[in-house]
Amino acid sequence: MKKYIILPVLSVFMLVGCNEDSFLDQTNPNTITTETFWNTPEQFQTGLTTVYGALQFQNISGGGLVNEMIMGDIGGTESWYRPFTFRNLTYNDGTYYVTDKWNELYVGIFRANQVIENLETSDADFADGEKESIEAQAKFLRAFYYFQLAYTYGGAVIHTKVAESKEDFSKPFSSIEEVRETILVPDLEFAASHLPQVWSSESLGRVTEGAAKSLLGKVYLYNKNYSEAATLFKDVIDSGIYSLVPDIMDNFTTENEYNSESIFEVAYNSDANPGANGDVVDDTVNGTGAEATTIANAFGQLNFGGYNTLLPTYYLHELLTSDEVDPSNPINAGKIHSQRLSATIAPINGETDYYLLPIGERGGWAYGQSAYIKKQTNWYHWKQEDGNSRSGINFRHIRLADVYLMYAEAVLESSGNVSEAVKYIDMVRSRAGVITLQKYMDANGGQFPQLHVSLQVHGSRPFVSPTPATVLTHIQRVERPVELAFEGQRWKDLVRWGIVKEVFDDLRSEEVWRENNKDILNITGDGIAPLFIKERVRPDFNLSSVNYLSSAHDYFPIPVQEQQTNDQLNN
């Protein structure tokens, strides 16, 4: 059967007097089909580029992610912003992001399947190892798209071949376990075996062995196969390919992309083929002429050209103020805030400039807004965000600090090795310039503080001894939300740990306490440290804490259009 290729094509033809029946039997010579494509290595590389291009869709790596980032404990919003539906967990199977993300992920899968399927029968004259390399890249990307499907929707409709008939689109919904065994593990094992550790400079942005092992380790971690996960993460760590960048900000700007910490990164560019407001233009895998991202406008402060549809919760803000600077660490140079705070949020008492102005020069830190988001925005080099929602900051899906923390978690769960876990947690903390867990323990009789407990609300924090349980709680409630804030990890983390309800109830009780103690907090005045909340307490968890049901909200529902067109779904 002749299949048509989804690539940009311009075809022009003229109809002159002809026999209608014979005309309908003619083949359009300008149409790209499987008979005229997939014949050369260059065509396969072009097809592979479109698989990478799907990464740039806004609901996969761009501004659409706000709708998931807002669902956890670190992202808040206001009732007049569109993502409020997700903050309150009142979305349904027809809500825009639920349907749009599903569709975009399947576009990526379709493109990957085209490459993989045609490689099987290709007689193209590939260079040594080129065919395997193309297949490995396509399989990694297919696995990534299926990972997102499985852990966003609780499973997926599995397609490993390009559909040739209407019936091919109708398949049952497969569980996470089925997706893992059918796609994720075999695809990522193949990718890890056939991808290079590094690419040459002209191929930056292509996936690597380290990316495949990191994602496979994550698959095992989510499946609670902790020993396998720990082994894979340690392979990546010990490869010598990656290292933490000295300045955490280098992970969230346009100035040091594809740095030593980056393991899997999606290219964006605000200048060439800007794609204003999220129009998609597939281009090269290494950033030249890449599509722009809209995420910066969703994060940026309103006064600086953004729409701040996502805001830091008081919980995240207080976690960051508790990121206690280590005065003996030379990177601090007398600062009162950690590098992580200054790279992540803008509070009224922030120590950096903000959109090239002193941080408090323009208003906005009022009406319950204690801080705005800096990570993933252009605060460091633009006066304001682009009016067409364009930003060129690459999105990092996997970086070494994440692998360190996942390794620490896997070690705790598999062997209970507290000292090994603390070692890697403290590498992340040291880079941020904050007091390490080991230093806390050295100064406090072998104990460290439970930094996720609100000092403002409770007046003190308990100190605990390092055990697998207490260190795991630190990873869950402190280290991952602080280090990886607004990087698309948080909701999936909370769900896989099974602690959403516990966290929501805790944070709602803190909101209630603040509401009942407005006088103490001087909310009608200038507020008090560390949050300086003014005018009102923003109620981020008043509805989500009541509405949350694990069975209904851990994963999105199957989108309505899939239910209507796929008669194999068991609803």
Side-chain angles (χ1 to χ4, degrees), residues 71-370:
M71 290 169 63
D73 53 357
I74 63 174
T77 192
E78 294 286 8
S79 59
W80 50 86
Y81 288 125
R82 197 181 189 195
F84 192 61
T85 299
F86 291 90
R87 171 67 278 163
N88 290 338
L89 304 178
T90 55
Y91 56 82
N92 58 43
D93 57 12
T95 304
Y96 60 97
Y97 183 68
V98 173
T99 61
D100 293 351
K101 182 161 189 170
W102 175 280
N103 294 337
E104 291 177 5
L105 289 168
Y106 274 108
V107 169
I109 289 166
F110 166 75
R111 294 176 182 181
N113 284 339
Q114 278 194 315
V115 174
I116 295 165
E117 184 175 338
N118 283 286
L119 277 173
E120 294 174 358
T121 58
S122 174
D123 294 323
D125 186 18
F126 291 99
D128 186 38
E130 184 180 11
K131 182 176 181 180
E132 293 78 9
S133 171
I134 293 172
E135 183 178 358
Q137 292 174 75
K139 284 188 170 179
F140 172 92
L141 294 169
R142 182 170 70 174
F144 171 78
Y145 296 133
Y146 269 114
F147 179 92
Q148 295 298 321
L149 277 168
Y151 291 102
T152 303
Y153 297 88
V157 178
I158 296 176
H159 296 281
T160 58
K161 299 289 184 180
V162 176
E164 297 185 1
S165 67
K166 179 180 178 181
E167 290 71 25
D168 291 338
F169 287 103
S170 295
K171 291 192 173 184
F173 186 78
S174 296
S175 66
I176 291 174
E177 291 71 25
E178 291 169 321
V179 175
R180 183 176 64 248
E181 298 306 317
T182 304
I183 301 289
L184 302 182
V185 171
D187 276 9
L188 291 170
E189 285 181 343
F190 183 89
S193 298
H194 294 86
L195 288 172
Q197 287 189 318
V198 295
W199 290 90
S200 59
S201 58
E202 62 268 19
S203 293
L204 287 178
R206 293 183 185 270
V207 293
T208 60
E209 175 188 329
K213 286 186 174 180
S214 297
L215 186 54
L216 183 56
K218 194 171 183 177
V219 169
Y220 284 129
L221 184 71
Y222 277 39
N223 189 42
K224 304 186 188 305
N225 190 338
Y226 298 115
S227 59
E228 289 284 353
T231 298
L232 286 160
F233 294 141
K234 197 62 162 60
D235 283 348
V236 174
I237 292 167
D238 291 345
S239 69
I241 302 298
Y242 308 102
S243 60
L244 298 179
V245 291
D247 186 349
I248 192 175
M249 264 295 291
D250 284 340
N251 294 304
F252 318 115
T253 75
T254 58
E255 296 173 355
N256 193 12
E257 294 174 336
Y258 304 116
N259 59 48
S260 64
E261 189 170 339
S262 177
I263 297 177
F264 178 36
E265 179 171 334
V266 176
Y268 288 108
N269 190 301
S270 62
D271 299 319
N273 293 335
N277 296 312
D279 296 335
V280 176
V281 182
D282 294 330
D283 211 293
T284 62
V285 298
N286 63 0
T288 303
E291 176 72 2
T293 176
T294 63
I295 203 168
N297 275 65
F299 287 1
Q301 190 190 355
L302 184 64
N303 290 351
F304 298 94
Y307 291 94
N308 54 55
T309 53
L310 187 66
L311 296 158
T313 59
Y314 301 144
Y315 172 65
L316 177 63
H317 187 171
E318 192 170 4
L319 278 180
L320 285 163
T321 62
S322 300
D323 220 18
E324 189 176 358
V325 165
D326 182 353
S328 68
N329 191 320
I331 71 171
N332 289 312
K335 295 178 181 177
I336 62 170
H337 289 159
S338 72
Q339 279 199 5
R340 291 197 292 201
L341 184 151
S342 293
T344 306
I345 64 171
I348 186 65
N349 63 336
E351 296 178 284
T352 70
D353 281 351
Y354 188 51
Y355 292 100
L356 308 186
L357 289 171
I359 204 162
E361 188 163 307
R362 293 192 189 181
W365 285 269
Y367 199 60
Q369 320 308 353
S370 70

Side-chain angles (χ1 to χ4, degrees), residues 414-460:
S414 62
S415 66
N417 191 335
V418 170
S419 61
E420 180 78 349
V422 168
K423 173 184 174 182
Y424 282 91
I425 293 169
D426 281 350
M427 287 183 184
V428 176
R429 293 183 66 83
S430 292
R431 188 268 297 276
V434 301
I435 296 175
T436 63
L437 295 186
Q438 190 59 57
K439 281 194 173 184
Y440 276 126
M441 290 187 285
D442 291 344
N444 294 281
Q447 296 188 318
F448 67 91
Q450 290 192 301
L451 297 169
H452 66 283
V453 175
S454 172
L455 189 60
Q456 183 179 66
V457 172
H458 297 285
S460 63

Side-chain angles (χ1 to χ4, degrees), residues 10-30:
L10 176 65
S11 59
V12 180
F13 61 92
M14 296 177 63
L15 293 181
V16 186
C18 62
N19 181 282
E20 182 177 283
D21 291 336
S22 63
F23 169 73
L24 293 176
D25 290 335
Q26 301 302 307
T27 297
N28 179 0
N30 297 301

